[in-house]
Every structure is written in C-alpha cells, then in structure tokens.
Amino acid sequence: RKEVEQDPGPFNVPEGATVAFNCTYSNSASQSFFWYRQDCRKEPKLLMSVYSSGNEDGRFTAQLNRASQYISLLIRDSKLSDSATYLCVVNIGGTDKLIFGTGTRLQVFP
Amino acid sequence: NAGVTQTPKFRVLKTGQSMTLLCAQDMNHEYMYWYRQDPGMGLRLIHYSVGEGTTAKGEVPDGYNVSRLKKQNFLLGLESAAPSQTSVYFCASSYSAPSGVYNEQFFGPGTRLTVL
C-alpha cells in the first residue's frame, strides 16, 4: 500500500460547483498534513496546512480524520483559476521528510 | 526577494556525463531539499539538509550526491548520468522542520533534465 494515496482524477466540474478530494495515508505516526497546489509545469505551492480540528481559508476547507487516516479538501464556488493538481502531503512524526501523494487533477470549465 | 532559484532550467545529457544542479534561497532557511518528479510517481525526496554543512539521504538517493557548504546553497550532483535519471528536479527550502511551526516548503521552478 502506498504511504499516501489520492484519486488521480481528473475531476471535471463547472464553475460555481463544490468539489471534494480525499487522501488516505498509511502511517499512523503521521503528524503534519498539508495540501499543496501544482499548476501544469510549475512548482508546487502550499495551499493550506490541515489541523486536527479542521480549518477553512476562504472557499477552501480542510479536514483530518485520524481514526480513518484520511484528510480531505473541499472547494466551494469553484473558479476557472482553481484548475490545477492538488497534492496531499504528509509528514511522518519524528522525521524531517514529507511524503507527497501523486495528486488529484481538477479541471473547472465555464 | 527571489525566493528559491534553480539553475539550469533545462539540460540534456548523454549517458555517463556528469552535472551539478544549483539551488539557492535568500530566505535564510535552515532546511533544504531535493526532489524528483516523474509521471505517476509524485515528488520523491532525493537528499535533504537540516543546516549548513549537513546532508542526509531521502527516499531515492542512489546515483546522486549533494553538498551544503553555504546556508543559502544546496547542490545536487549526478556523477554518471543514466536514462533513469530523466526527470524534473525541484529544490525546496523551509525555515523549520515539517513538524515545526514555520514549516511551509518553498519550491524553486524546477530543472527539466533529459538523459539520452
């Protein structure tokens, strides 16, 4: 089983739609969780960290479920500019390393 | 404030040739990382450094060496390039460890390397 697994998509949604991605992780010692965004042929950029109590940043909501070992990202009122690949990223506790998922591709159409 | 820069942006090598990729950051970050990204594989950590003069192996270190002689620079070397090293290489830096408070990793624009 991969350490971090994501549905590769693509998720094709119309503008204004709500879309959610899940990501599962295998190591129960995982401590820190992130969503990064990567545009085509560009570098990844931090979208948001994921906190135990869940957190929101504008149209984006991230949640963590430690019992089931998954994190989620909800995007409301999708914009064309949200089209990108969303990377689920996990840090194993006690290490200096991040484990990246292969990404979920989102395409928002007019 | 340039952030994280990488040179070169593109390179084509022949099998057996050597090269060095340079990563520079101007944010006074302690932590620096080298990743490779291949289709369907996600980013994989090659080597990383937790401070000037220190380096450590990541997930896929074979065939690569690194050096961190200055805090702002992190060099990735390929001594004898192989076609399996064709990839996009990203450098990243962060102020603290992934479990720390200021843990955002800032990435450079990438180097696209092809080994023939």
Side-chain angles (χ1 to χ4, degrees):
Chain A
R1 183 183 172 187
K2 286 183 181 177
E3 289 188 270
V4 177
E5 290 201 73
Q6 298 182 249
D7 181 341
F11 285 62
N12 295 305
V13 302
E15 273 186 293
T18 295
V19 62
F21 311 134
N22 280 345
C23 162
T24 59
Y25 60 93
S26 61
N27 193 320
S28 59
S30 298
Q31 193 175 59
S32 305
F33 308 88
F34 312 88
W35 284 102
Y36 276 72
R37 171 195 166 125
Q38 186 173 25
D39 293 300
C40 187
R41 299 180 70 80
K42 297 285 190 180
E43 70 273 22
K45 292 182 180 178
L46 180 66
L47 178 67
M48 57 198 304
S49 300
V50 185
Y51 302 120
S52 296
S53 55
N55 48 300
E56 190 174 301
D57 183 2
R59 298 180 294 109
F60 299 86
T61 300
Q63 291 196 315
L64 167 64
N65 185 316
R66 284 194 186 271
S68 300
Q69 295 186 195
Y70 75 85
I71 66 172
S72 64
L73 177 67
L74 181 79
I75 305 175
R76 290 181 298 277
D77 189 22
S78 296
K79 311 290 185 192
L80 294 176
S81 57
D82 293 334
S83 297
T85 297
Y86 291 84
L87 307 176
C88 172
V89 185
V90 173
N91 164 241
I92 309 299
T95 75
D96 294 318
K97 307 173 191 176
L98 291 179
I99 308 296
F100 284 76
T102 53
T104 297
R105 191 161 147 249
L106 171 65
Q107 184 67 47
V108 181
F109 58 88
Chain B
N1 214 358
V4 181
T5 58
Q6 292 182 233
T7 51
K9 288 187 170 50
F10 303 93
R11 186 72 186 268
V12 178
L13 288 178
K14 293 181 180 178
T15 296
Q17 286 184 318
S18 63
M19 77 164 295
T20 300
L21 283 68
L22 171 64
C23 175
Q25 52 92 8
D26 61 1
M27 296 175 282
N28 199 35
H29 285 172
E30 291 292 336
Y31 291 73
M32 296 188 75
Y33 309 83
W34 275 108
Y35 295 92
R36 59 177 290 174
Q37 186 173 35
D38 302 293
M41 300 289 289
L43 277 88
R44 292 182 292 168
L45 182 64
I46 305 171
H47 286 280
Y48 65 101
S49 167
V50 302
E52 181 179 318
T54 73
T55 63
K57 293 181 180 180
E59 184 186 349
V60 288
D62 294 342
Y64 305 94
N65 56 73
V66 287
S67 64
R68 182 108 181 260
L69 298 179
K70 292 182 180 180
K71 186 177 184 178
Q72 63 268 34
N73 296 337
F74 196 27
L75 279 65
L76 178 71
L78 286 74
E79 288 188 349
S80 179
S84 60
Q85 294 177 305
T86 293
S87 188
V88 180
Y89 291 85
F90 286 103
C91 175
S93 72
S94 63
Y95 185 77
S96 71
S99 57
V101 176
Y102 301 105
N103 57 12
E104 178 180 354
Q105 288 195 9
F106 293 84
F107 284 79
T111 294
R112 282 164 177 75
L113 175 66
T114 301
V115 183
L116 301 175

